[in-house]
Amino acid sequence: MPKLRAALTALIVVAAGVTPAHATAQPSLTVERGRTQPVFSYADAVREHVYVESSVDSDADGRPDRVRVDIIRPKESGPGLKVPVIIDESPYYDNSGRGNEAERKVYDAAGNVTKFPLYYDNYFVPRGYAVLNVDMIGTTRSDGCPDVGGRADVLGGKAVIDWLNGRATAYRADGTPAVADWTTGRAAMIGKSYDGTLANAVAATGVRGLETIVPISAISSWYKYQRSNGVIYNYDYMSWLGDYVDSDPTARCAATWARLDAEDADDTGNYNGFWAERDYIAGSLGDVSKVRASVFAVHTVNDLNVMPDNFSKWWKALADRNVPRKIWVGQYQHVDPFDFEGRRDLWVDTLHRWFDHWLLGVRNGIMSEPRADVQSSLDRWTTQHDWPAPLALKIPFRPAADGSFGLVPARKGQTATFTDIRQSEEAMVADVGTAKPGRVAFTTGALPLDLRLSGTPVVDLRVALDRPTSNLTALLVDFGEDTRIDWRRGQGITTVTEESCHGESTASDDACYRQVVTNRATRPLEIVARGWIDVQNRDSLSAPSPLPTGTYGRVSWETLPQDYVFKKGHRLALVIAGTDSTYSDERATGANVTVDLAGSKVLLPLALSTLRGTDVPKDTARWTGPRQLDLPEPENLFY
């Protein structure tokens, strides 16, 4: 066993680009059971900071912005032991803080960080990694003005990767050059929300040296973060967010805020050059075709801060390019997987093996495991080959004039009409069996079997308006008393006093964090999927076209993705309405909307395992489909 351990250590050291140890006491990494071991002292680690010179001047002061980088690395790291790097770049280190306990950086008299937020430093530095907490341009101790997903945000983070690989310059506080002679140059970026967004953005530049990213609840398109098919969620949001994370008085970056407001197309809701710069899938500054890094994505299907289409579109684009990838999909709101109840240890271990594999070349089998961990209900996590569920079928469900919702099309000429008024989604789904002027609703009878929805539903309507446009909302609803994750309260979790520790601690920076429990609520219904569109954007997000008054036109759009089990005996409903006041600041148009029911349907991606070989009982009330869920036209069914 000692010989095997020595061989593994030599292999990992060579893979890391480190000079192997010989008969001397040369420091080296240790690998056992496919994992690096905590052989370096956290208390004795080097804590330092540098300022990396970027290629942008976001505050127009005539000097390139410098990016503050706070570093913690093993004392032994240097020319004789080069280590890989884990980066959390964030705009939040001096405002909202990081993690469930809102940790901020704490500095000593020399300006070095003595408390690094989160556990990454406590856990990974003893295992032979450097951890960098990077202040996004315009925030905390970096120069410049935040660009809210744009050029400055992206190129600031890229400059740090370039510095680690000898392609950019950095300086110490006294103005002397700083060289990263202690690193292999192999880097990861990780973080939740804006932090994970920066990881996506930098990866989309194709920068060399960024080997992997772990975006958690992250944005892949800022348009999708603030728009849905022309429907605006929040007005003047980009300038508000920039000012919120900016470390300086508002006046200093006032020109930037004015530019953001002028360019964001809030007057139309259109996709334009402003949003293309902030689109990491198919944008103008970077795109998915340039991604060199592997991706371990984490998102939750009830995240209505960073809507889950940000991960589903990014995930599909990565899959289309065969980017090495892994995913966790949860049922909470905007929550880090470290705080998924009962999975903290598994998360830390999985992340550990992921970094060991991609940054150090450890052969630990992580890429041979199922690609996706999915939470499809309160207490049910499954592993599967991919996400959405492989071989999910796109089943067309159709509304009918009698209010039913099933597999049989409505008769030709049947219609339903409502008025585009501004109302909450709670009002849209209330008293669903009662006719209301601001919505139409259609329900199945009691479901004869469990149905697992996995993926992105598509709403395909044929409508006519008496005005040039209307906002449309589509809701898929599960009616049935059940105990579900209460993701509306505390984003689905409650923090308790008990702690768990992950890594080593000092008096200034402990590795212990409070545990959480899942919030639960018994409710008669759950809104499962949501989707919005401005009818004039039905054909183009950048060139709206009014629908000629009184003329039918096809309006097809995707809801937000979901992974959810509709239980046997529950009823599945479709609600169509106008302007959603819960998630949009827009005004209603007042248009009367007529839906051609015979020409309308919703495609539901249903997991094959819930359908195959299942009979629908003859006496199932109001079930309008055939006895077997075995439909023709297979070319239209596969996801």
Side-chain angles (χ1 to χ4, degrees):
M1 183 61 70
K3 290 184 178 180
L4 176 60
R5 182 177 302 175
L8 286 171
T9 301
L11 173 64
I12 197 63
V13 169
V14 171
V18 180
T19 303
H22 297 293
T24 66
Q26 189 83 0
S28 62
L29 307 181
T30 299
V31 176
E32 295 178 357
R33 301 181 302 278
R35 296 162 177 81
T36 49
Q37 298 300 303
V39 297
F40 301 100
S41 168
Y42 178 73
D44 294 338
V46 174
R47 293 163 173 83
E48 59 186 343
H49 66 276
V50 302
Y51 298 88
V52 175
E53 190 165 273
S54 74
S55 60
V56 295
D57 177 15
S58 62
D59 54 7
D61 65 356
R63 296 173 299 180
D65 297 334
R66 290 188 177 181
V67 182
R68 164 77 176 227
V69 180
D70 289 297
I71 302 165
I72 181 169
R73 56 185 174 88
K75 180 181 66 175
E76 296 83 354
S77 61
L81 176 63
K82 294 180 182 291
V83 297
V85 173
I86 298 168
I87 299 169
D88 186 349
E89 182 184 8
S90 179
Y92 294 128
Y93 285 128
D94 70 346
N95 40 69
S96 62
R98 304 312 300 129
N100 188 41
E101 298 179 34
E103 291 187 318
R104 299 186 182 189
K105 291 181 178 179
V106 177
Y107 305 86
D108 63 16
N112 292 317
V113 170
T114 58
K115 179 178 177 60
F116 285 77
L118 305 178
Y119 63 94
Y120 303 139
D121 55 311
N122 308 87
Y123 188 84
F124 286 104
V125 170
R127 289 166 168 79
Y129 291 82
V131 173
L132 276 55
N133 282 184
V134 177
D135 299 340
M136 190 187 83
I137 278 181
T139 70
T140 313
R141 299 193 176 190
S142 285
D143 297 341
C145 296
D147 204 17
V148 195
R151 181 178 176 82
D153 285 14
V154 179
L155 297 184
K158 178 180 180 295
V160 176
I161 306 294
D162 284 334
W163 173 64
L164 294 171
N165 288 275
R167 300 187 299 265
T169 304
Y171 300 92
R172 302 192 183 280
D174 62 5
T176 58
V179 178
D181 59 359
W182 42 265
T183 180
T184 62
R186 296 175 66 84
M189 293 185 72
I190 186 173
K192 177 192 167 191
S193 198
Y194 210 140
D195 305 20
T197 300
L198 294 169
N200 283 342
V202 175
T205 70
V207 62
R208 293 182 181 273
L210 182 59
E211 304 297 330
T212 191
I213 62 172
V214 184
I216 300 166
S217 303
I219 297 165
S220 62
S221 162
W222 285 81
Y223 181 89
K224 291 189 178 301
Y225 179 57
Q226 282 302 302
R227 304 280 193 274
S228 175
N229 303 303
V231 173
I232 298 171
Y233 297 147
N234 305 285
Y235 288 98
D236 296 329
Y237 180 86
M238 305 295 274
S239 60
W240 174 87
L241 181 58
D243 188 33
Y244 173 77
V245 301
D246 184 19
S247 306
D248 301 303
T250 297
R252 184 175 178 277
C253 292
T256 297
W257 315 146
R259 176 177 60 82
L260 295 179
D261 284 342
E263 296 177 358
D264 64 7
D266 270 3
D267 57 328
T268 64
N270 289 349
Y271 183 95
N272 60 9
F274 175 88
W275 299 106
E277 183 179 322
R278 293 160 175 80
D279 185 341
Y280 313 132
I281 298 176
S284 58
L285 187 60
D287 64 72
V288 72
S289 71
K290 298 177 183 176
V291 172
R292 301 174 183 273
S294 62
V295 180
F296 185 177
V298 181
H299 218 107
T300 51
V301 290
N302 293 311
D303 188 342
L304 294 170
N305 176 350
V306 179
M307 303 284 188
D309 53 347
N310 274 277
F311 93 82
S312 62
K313 296 293 187 182
W314 179 241
W315 181 253
K316 185 177 187 305
L318 295 169
D320 289 344
R321 294 192 62 252
N322 293 315
V323 172
R325 64 201 184 280
K326 187 173 180 63
I327 194 168
W328 277 25
V329 180
Q331 283 281 333
Y332 298 91
Q333 236 254 47
H334 198 58
V335 173
D336 191 289
F338 189 72
D339 295 315
F340 291 175
E341 184 183 4
R343 291 179 69 87
R344 181 172 290 183
D345 290 344
L346 177 61
W347 166 250
V348 173
D349 184 64
T350 304
L351 185 65
H352 181 189
R353 293 190 300 122
W354 182 265
F355 283 154
D356 278 358
H357 178 80
W358 286 103
L359 297 181
L360 289 167
V362 176
R363 295 183 179 180
N364 54 26
I366 195 163
M367 297 307 293
S368 300
E369 297 170 358
R371 184 175 287 142
D373 279 38
V374 182
Q375 184 183 27
S376 56
S377 59
L378 179 61
D379 297 310
R380 180 182 178 185
W381 280 89
T382 59
T383 58
Q384 56 194 48
H385 175 67
D386 210 333
W387 189 89
L391 297 181
L393 302 179
K394 284 190 173 179
I395 307 295
F397 276 67
R398 303 175 184 274
D402 63 354
S404 63
F405 188 47
L407 304 181
V408 176
R411 292 193 302 274
K412 187 174 181 179
Q414 290 186 339
T415 63
T417 302
F418 65 93
T419 302
D420 176 12
I421 62 174
R422 180 174 166 79
Q423 59 182 321
S424 70
E425 64 174 24
E426 287 78 11
M428 293 177 185
V429 302
D431 303 319
V432 74
T434 302
K436 292 190 175 182
R439 64 105 197 273
V440 290
F442 310 90
T443 63
T444 69
L447 295 175
L449 69 163
D450 287 355
L451 293 179
R452 179 186 169 196
L453 186 152
S454 182
T456 303
V458 177
V459 181
D460 187 5
L461 306 180
R462 188 168 182 265
V463 303
L465 311 178
D466 66 354
R467 299 188 184 186
T469 194
S470 172
N471 297 319
L472 296 181
T473 298
L475 305 175
L476 288 171
V477 189
D478 176 18
F479 283 99
E481 189 84 6
D482 202 2
T483 300
R484 304 174 174 91
I485 294 177
D486 188 4
W487 52 265
R488 297 169 182 82
R489 178 168 60 91
Q491 305 196 61
I493 58 173
T494 292
T495 306
V496 298
T497 56
E498 181 184 355
E499 291 188 326
S500 66
C501 302
H502 299 271
E504 298 182 13
S505 301
T506 64
S508 301
D509 192 335
D510 72 78
C512 302
Y513 292 85
R514 294 169 67 185
Q515 295 274 18
V516 301
V517 294
T518 298
N519 294 336
R520 301 168 182 241
T522 301
R523 296 190 294 262
L525 64 91
E526 179 80 356
I527 299 174
V528 175
R530 306 159 168 82
W532 308 273
I533 192 171
D534 183 339
V535 171
Q536 65 183 340
N537 289 107
R538 65 196 180 280
D539 297 321
S540 171
L541 297 181
S542 56
S545 57
L547 182 63
T549 301
T551 302
Y552 278 102
R554 183 159 300 283
V555 184
S556 181
W557 76 101
E558 295 180 336
T559 72
L560 299 178
Q562 253 290 358
D563 209 291
Y564 184 90
V565 175
F566 294 89
K567 292 184 178 179
K568 179 179 179 179
H570 287 201
R571 293 182 300 139
L572 190 162
L574 168 67
V575 176
I576 306 171
T579 303
D580 185 346
S581 65
T582 304
Y583 297 106
S584 171
D585 284 345
E586 289 207 0
R587 296 179 179 178
T589 67
N592 290 313
V593 181
T594 301
V595 182
D596 173 14
L597 298 176
S600 300
K601 61 182 180 294
V602 179
L603 296 174
L604 300 183
L606 300 178
L608 185 63
S609 60
T610 67
L611 303 179
R612 183 176 292 158
T614 303
D615 285 335
V616 178
K618 296 179 182 180
D619 59 351
T620 298
R622 293 172 60 84
W623 182 262
T624 57
R627 304 267 170 81
Q628 294 275 343
L629 292 180
D630 182 12
L631 302 179
E633 303 175 337
E635 67 274 9
N636 296 324
L637 300 182
F638 289 97
Y639 191 88

